[in-house]
Amino acid sequence: MRTDTPRGTLPAREHLLAAAADLPVLDVVIPVYNEEADLERCVLRLREHLARTFPYSFRITVADNASTDRTPAVAARLAASIAEVRSYRLEEKGRGRALRTVWSHSDAPVLAYMDVDLSTDLNALLPLVAPLISGHSDLAIGSRLAHSSRVVRGPKREFISRAYNLILKSSLAAGFSDAQCGFKAIRRDVAERLLPMVEDTGWFFDTELLVLAERAGLRIHEVPVDWVDDPDSTVHIVSTATEDLKGVWRVGRALAVGALPLDRLVRPFGDDPRDRQLSGVPGGLARQLVGFCVVGAFSTLLYLLLYSVFRAGVGPQVANAGALLLSALANTAANRRLTFGVRGRDRALRHQAQGLVVFAIGLALTSGSLGALEAAAGNPTHGTELAVLIAANLAATVLRFLLFRAWVFPDPSQENSPYATDVADDVRNAR
């Protein structure tokens, strides 16, 4: 995974002003490979549509992926005869490589791309880039799976597309609806920091770009599109699907271990309205409570499952300790990333060590509860043991949240606030 992104966080989004005629606001890239038959028709149609409907200056860039036919000559001729058209030749194949190369060298503040077959209705182009120009969003994608989209394609491609997006949602927790539609746009300031993190150079490039952007908290705008399948498409479905699945595994593993510096994509404090301070409410508390409760619910289920498995072979105290230890490690890692927004490997071991201290407190509470139950009931049933353990875990939850918020994952901006002092006092008194 590449991590050599520019230092510093992203600036606040601003509305883009109409630039001088020699500096386009929008650069639309058309990646092509052996498209001599369709390229000229595509470029002329796109140029006519932009000239007629787009209120800003624009450029069309043909990115040739090492074509072996007359595509480079067609692209060069179009660039020579049309002022808004440029051509770019790459000696290696790969749609992702072409987009990365052209976007990295473009001077336009908004970068887009579309497939050469123009399967997507061009009337969706202005709605696609408008949120980026206005400063509302960071990326924009066309979606063929939105409720109001109108799509014409065969059942095979429909099944593959929906199955792939289901895989993304289940494995990478993707919130966007359509990763593969060849109709996307991104602000250049975002691309400058995001592109170096994207490793894929082929068809998975889009998905990786979107997943990393979403995990970094960037705003992705979706536009329902009208889309007609190209029956002459040269995409090799089996090989593309195989590479996509490899990419899903690679990106999922990198995100799980915190190998990507996604904090460099964070907008400055105050750009997100959720950062605004409310009277009497510490910043981020509501979100942290929701995240903590969700993580806690799954951790409790994991704990009970592990306890039941361990209890089949060992005594209740050993089963409780083993189940609580494993679930505590998972709980700390999940709260670190999801609840308190800590990314990367920095201080990860320290956070786990502090989490184990919290685990020790929970162990004392639950073990003490089990000991008291055995002393009172002698030989309690398994159901009674589980009920007591649930009650003990609920009692420890409030203390665990206070320890996590004030000690394990403190917010630097809140450390000197009266609220932080009150929380610290509560934690010390609870001990």
Side-chain angles (χ1 to χ4, degrees):
M1 272 298 170
R2 295 178 174 88
T3 59
D4 53 336
T5 62
R7 294 288 177 179
T9 58
L10 284 167
R13 289 190 298 265
E14 295 182 353
H15 185 95
L16 300 175
L17 300 177
D22 58 343
L23 182 62
V25 171
L26 173 66
D27 192 349
V28 183
V29 180
I30 305 175
V32 293
Y33 174 74
N34 288 351
E35 296 286 355
E36 61 178 359
D38 296 327
L39 179 57
E40 182 172 2
R41 174 181 55 83
C42 163
V43 170
L44 293 178
R45 179 182 166 195
L46 175 59
R47 191 261 178 191
E48 188 275 334
H49 177 84
L50 287 170
R52 180 170 49 85
T53 66
F54 194 67
Y56 292 86
S57 56
F58 64 87
R59 176 192 301 142
I60 300 171
T61 302
V62 179
D64 175 40
N65 295 304
S67 293
T68 57
D69 63 359
R70 295 184 59 257
T71 297
V74 175
R77 176 165 50 82
L78 290 169
S81 60
I82 303 176
E84 297 90 352
V85 177
R86 291 186 181 178
S87 64
Y88 204 107
R89 167 73 176 181
L90 289 90
E91 298 302 331
E92 295 181 88
K93 289 181 61 177
R95 182 179 68 170
R97 179 180 288 108
L99 292 176
R100 184 205 312 281
T101 302
V102 176
W103 280 355
S104 297
H105 291 86
S106 179
D107 54 1
V110 176
L111 312 169
Y113 96 88
M114 62 180 60
D115 293 334
V116 69
D117 56 17
L118 297 185
S119 295
T120 304
D121 183 6
L122 293 178
N123 286 324
L125 183 55
L126 183 55
L128 182 80
V129 301
L132 309 187
I133 295 175
S134 70
H136 175 272
S137 301
D138 300 294
L139 299 91
I141 64 174
S143 175
R144 298 162 297 183
L145 302 181
H147 291 301
S148 57
S149 297
R150 295 177 294 186
V151 176
V152 178
R153 62 177 166 183
K156 180 179 179 180
R157 296 186 73 111
E158 179 76 13
F159 172 78
I160 292 174
S161 179
R162 292 188 177 275
Y164 179 66
N165 283 284
L166 180 61
I167 291 173
L168 294 181
K169 291 181 182 297
S170 60
S171 61
L172 298 178
F176 46 87
S177 65
D178 190 353
Q180 294 177 310
C181 182
F183 197 70
K184 296 181 175 69
I186 185 173
R187 288 175 65 101
R188 188 183 64 188
D189 56 354
V190 176
E192 288 175 348
R193 290 167 172 81
L194 185 55
L195 289 179
M197 298 185 194
V198 180
E199 184 173 323
D200 191 79
T201 59
W203 291 96
F204 187 70
F205 174 88
D206 301 51
T207 301
E208 188 170 354
L209 185 82
L210 292 173
V211 169
L212 298 187
E214 186 176 61
R215 288 299 185 96
L218 299 180
R219 177 174 288 166
I220 301 175
H221 178 73
E222 294 199 23
V223 178
V225 298
D226 296 342
W227 192 86
V228 179
D229 189 16
D230 178 12
D232 299 323
S233 174
T234 58
V235 176
H236 300 288
I237 296 178
V238 175
S239 60
T240 300
T242 302
E243 292 302 315
D244 284 347
L245 293 177
K246 291 179 180 178
V248 169
W249 167 255
R250 174 176 53 79
V251 171
R253 182 177 57 185
L255 292 172
V257 301
L260 292 166
L262 298 180
D263 56 314
R264 300 178 195 174
L265 296 171
V266 176
R267 291 289 182 183
F269 184 84
D271 185 65
D272 190 331
R274 294 172 297 182
D275 293 331
R276 298 170 187 168
Q277 297 294 318
L278 300 178
S279 177
V281 180
L285 178 60
R287 280 182 287 169
Q288 290 179 356
L289 282 172
V290 173
F292 183 81
C293 290
V294 172
V295 172
F298 282 100
S299 298
T300 300
L301 293 175
L302 176 62
Y303 163 76
L304 294 175
L305 176 62
L306 291 172
Y307 178 82
S308 298
V309 172
F310 293 160
R311 187 66 179 86
V314 297
Q317 293 289 1
V318 176
N320 174 62
L324 197 58
L325 174 61
L326 294 178
S327 60
L329 293 174
N331 180 277
T332 300
N335 274 308
R336 181 177 188 269
R337 173 64 182 87
L338 301 177
T339 303
F340 298 96
V342 180
R343 303 180 177 90
R345 299 180 180 178
D346 184 39
R347 304 176 69 184
L349 291 178
R350 176 179 175 179
H351 291 154
Q352 281 292 354
Q354 291 173 308
L356 289 177
V357 174
V358 180
F359 150 76
I361 296 175
L363 178 62
L365 287 173
T366 53
S367 296
S369 300
L370 281 176
L373 176 63
E374 291 176 357
N379 188 24
T381 64
H382 180 63
T384 304
E385 287 180 356
L386 289 179
V388 170
L389 289 174
I390 292 174
N393 272 285
L394 290 175
T397 297
V398 175
L399 179 58
R400 187 181 304 122
F401 179 75
L402 291 174
L403 286 170
F404 272 169
R405 181 175 171 84
W407 179 50
V408 183
F409 308 109
D411 183 355
S413 66
Q414 299 289 332
E415 286 181 348
N416 297 322
S417 68
Y419 174 81
T421 303
D422 293 342
V423 171
D425 291 340
D426 291 343
V427 172
R428 283 192 291 271
N429 293 334
R431 292 177 181 172

